[in-house]
Amino acid sequence: MQNMIEEWINAFVGFIWGKPMLILLVGGGVFFTLYGKLTPFRYMAHSIKLLTGKVDDGSGHGDLSHRKALAAALSGTLGLGNIAGVALALSAGGPGAVFWMWLTALLGVSTKFYTCTLGVMYRHEDANGNVHGGPMYTVRHGLGPKFKWLAVMFAIAGLMGFVPSFQINQLGAVVQTQLFPGIAWLESSAFSWALGIVLAVFVGMVIWGGLQRVADVAGALVPLMAGSYMVMAIAALALNAERVPGVFQSIFASAFSPDAMFGGLISVIIVGVSRGAFSNEAGIGTEVMAHSAAKTNEPVREGLVASLGPIIDTLIVCSCTALVILVTGVLDQAEGMQGVSLTMAAFKAAFGAPGAWLLAAQVLVLSFTTVFTFWYYGYKCFVYLFGEQAGQYYKYLYLSLVVLGAVLSLDVVFLFLIGAYGLMAVPTMVSALLLAPKVNQAAKRYFASHRYRESHRSQVTNS
């Protein structure tokens, strides 16, 4: 029976993540890039000014500053995905995978601009003044009642996709197999239960403070951990500087071979999402919920800030992981090794045992921030389906899933997560494609507005 269930789920996941999904995500990204006439690229300097707070006074409805909204969104992708998922893409597609990873990130810049602008444009404020946003509200308020089934579809898929079981399970695996391998007690069920309870207590201390505390923690930890990871990666590349030109040559030379194209493009979208959304979740819709909480009355502003996500997440952090793996040569030497083990082998080759320990510490912290953010995403989906009053019970449900994530086998559960991410992409992309003219109209108004002209004039004067 279990084998039959796994076959059914595999067939379902294969159907969801087939060619139509690639056309929807990649083709949608091409459409947004061309239809928007490269808007987020042309105004990237303005996006950075918004992120740093130099041209936005932080007034308006919402809960988070632009910086905290971006940090909260990035905390849902930085971590195991960027560190382990890139290694999986390289294992599947070789050096050419990196080129296709860059391409999907560039397309993701425009996709995030459209989806996150719409997230602020159509967010909902309840009777208590709480802001709720996400693809389900974009569908509800932007497309109307006849598309309600798409909103419900996203919320249900989100409840399945935002369970923390995978992240918690992998946290336990890092402790058991990477930090303290060979210790019998750490491999026992007693340790798994104890770890799950300890992690649940720690997670509870954060999520009980609501989105503001999650954003505060993410805003402090994500830049610190991502920055330290970048320092390690740059140092590793400096130690192997003579190999860097050859690595770039191999990336471009193998990018268009049939094996590299299949392994790279498919890995970034399918394997990447199925192994923890290591890319940037552009088009999936998760990041829309974080950016919808931004404290602004200008939807285009948050769309511009959100467009920086794929650049930070994929073009910078993921690229560093890929380059370190390639320059150290572990991809060819570590037969059968993949995921976080392959990345740790690369840093161990560069720095010895301390490199693996430093990387493990960063994985632990960044994975925790993902768990915090996933609570917020799941909470928003829960509230949409069952109402604000029922939302308080989701915290208890989520913490129980944290405990179970440390003790359960995820073979079947993880397949559900893969399918859930695919289901979320459908409402997100369909609504964004149908409402794209609204974004273009808002962008035209904003860039012709007094507020933009004044901020742009101050940028020129200061420079």
Side-chain angles (χ1 to χ4, degrees):
M1 177 62 71
Q2 181 176 348
N3 290 336
M4 185 180 298
I5 293 175
E6 288 188 13
E7 290 178 4
W8 288 345
I9 298 173
N10 270 310
F12 167 69
V13 171
F15 172 75
I16 292 295
W17 286 102
K19 290 181 180 179
M21 182 59 67
L22 296 186
I23 293 172
L24 182 64
L25 288 174
V26 179
V30 172
F31 170 79
F32 291 135
T33 301
L34 298 178
Y35 186 63
K37 299 179 181 178
L38 302 175
T39 293
F41 296 96
R42 290 188 291 119
Y43 294 99
M44 192 165 292
H46 185 60
S47 303
I48 296 172
K49 293 287 186 180
L50 288 168
L51 182 64
T52 57
K54 293 183 177 180
V55 296
D56 197 320
D57 58 7
S59 61
H61 295 290
D63 301 315
L64 304 176
S65 66
H66 291 301
R67 183 183 65 82
K68 287 186 177 180
L70 181 61
L74 286 175
S75 69
T77 54
L78 292 174
L80 280 173
N82 296 89
I83 294 172
V86 177
L88 287 163
L90 287 171
S91 299
V98 181
F99 173 86
W100 296 105
M101 187 170 63
W102 291 338
L103 177 62
T104 55
L106 288 172
L107 296 177
V109 170
S110 295
T111 299
K112 281 204 174 183
F113 171 69
Y114 275 85
T115 57
C116 293
T117 297
L118 289 169
V120 177
M121 190 180 298
Y122 292 108
R123 62 187 176 182
H124 169 72
E125 186 172 339
D126 63 26
N128 299 320
N130 299 314
V131 173
H132 303 280
M136 54 281 202
Y137 293 98
T138 299
V139 171
R140 174 178 166 182
H141 299 300
L143 298 181
K146 65 180 180 179
F147 287 94
K148 183 180 179 180
W149 63 275
L150 276 177
V152 174
M153 174 182 174
F154 180 91
I156 293 175
L159 285 180
M160 294 190 296
F162 298 137
V163 297
S165 302
F166 172 69
Q167 287 77 15
I168 295 298
N169 183 273
Q170 292 299 289
L171 282 172
V174 169
V175 174
Q176 293 168 327
T177 64
Q178 301 297 328
L179 297 183
F180 304 102
I183 299 178
W185 183 75
L186 294 181
E187 299 176 0
S188 67
S189 59
F191 170 76
S192 296
W193 279 103
L195 178 65
I197 293 171
V198 170
L199 293 178
V201 171
F202 185 67
V203 171
M205 291 171 61
V206 175
I207 68 174
W208 236 264
L211 173 61
Q212 189 62 53
R213 186 174 297 173
V214 170
D216 288 342
V217 172
L221 293 180
V222 169
L224 178 63
M225 290 296 102
S228 62
Y229 181 73
M230 290 284 296
V231 170
M232 282 182 60
I234 292 172
L237 294 177
L239 291 173
N240 298 273
E242 72 282 357
R243 300 180 182 176
V244 173
V247 164
F248 276 99
Q249 183 179 0
S250 68
I251 289 173
F252 290 103
S254 60
F256 297 95
S257 68
D259 290 341
M261 287 181 67
F262 178 80
L265 185 59
I266 302 298
S267 293
V268 170
I269 297 175
I270 299 178
V271 178
V273 170
S274 69
R275 300 305 191 272
F278 79 84
S279 188
N280 49 65
E281 296 184 8
I284 303 299
T286 56
E287 73 288 344
V288 179
M289 289 184 279
H291 287 289
S292 296
K295 191 177 295 184
T296 181
N297 292 327
E298 294 282 2
V300 171
R301 286 190 165 187
E302 191 56 29
L304 290 171
V305 172
S307 70
L308 297 173
I311 297 172
I312 298 170
D313 184 276
T314 304
L315 292 182
I316 297 177
V317 180
C318 287
S319 295
C320 284
T321 300
L323 293 174
V324 171
I325 291 173
L326 292 173
V327 299
T328 54
V330 297
L331 184 63
D332 300 322
Q333 301 169 3
E335 185 176 351
M337 187 180 295
Q338 57 180 356
V340 70
S341 299
L342 181 60
T343 309
M344 285 192 169
F347 280 94
K348 189 174 182 179
F351 303 113
W357 272 84
L358 287 172
L359 181 61
Q362 291 163 344
V363 167
L364 290 172
V365 174
L366 289 173
S367 297
F368 253 121
T369 61
T370 301
V371 172
F372 301 149
T373 303
F374 273 25
W375 160 76
Y376 177 71
Y377 292 162
Y379 170 79
K380 288 300 180 183
C381 293
F382 193 87
V383 167
Y384 180 82
L385 292 172
F386 304 108
E388 183 70 26
Q389 295 301 319
Q392 58 182 321
Y393 301 109
Y394 183 74
K395 294 178 181 178
Y396 299 100
L397 173 62
Y398 193 79
L399 293 180
S400 68
L401 293 172
V402 169
V403 176
L404 291 175
V407 300
L408 292 179
S409 172
L410 296 184
D411 291 342
V412 176
V413 176
F414 189 48
L415 290 174
F416 273 114
L417 303 184
I418 302 170
Y421 266 69
L423 290 175
M424 283 189 283
V426 175
T428 302
M429 291 299 291
V430 169
S431 61
L433 288 168
L434 292 176
L435 294 169
K438 298 288 187 181
V439 176
N440 279 14
Q441 292 170 11
K444 184 177 180 179
R445 284 195 302 269
Y446 174 68
F447 293 121
S449 69
H450 174 74
R451 294 188 71 188
Y452 170 72
R453 292 199 305 270
E454 286 298 313
S455 64
H456 181 65
R457 187 178 296 115
S458 67
Q459 292 178 46
V460 174
T461 302
N462 293 334
S463 62

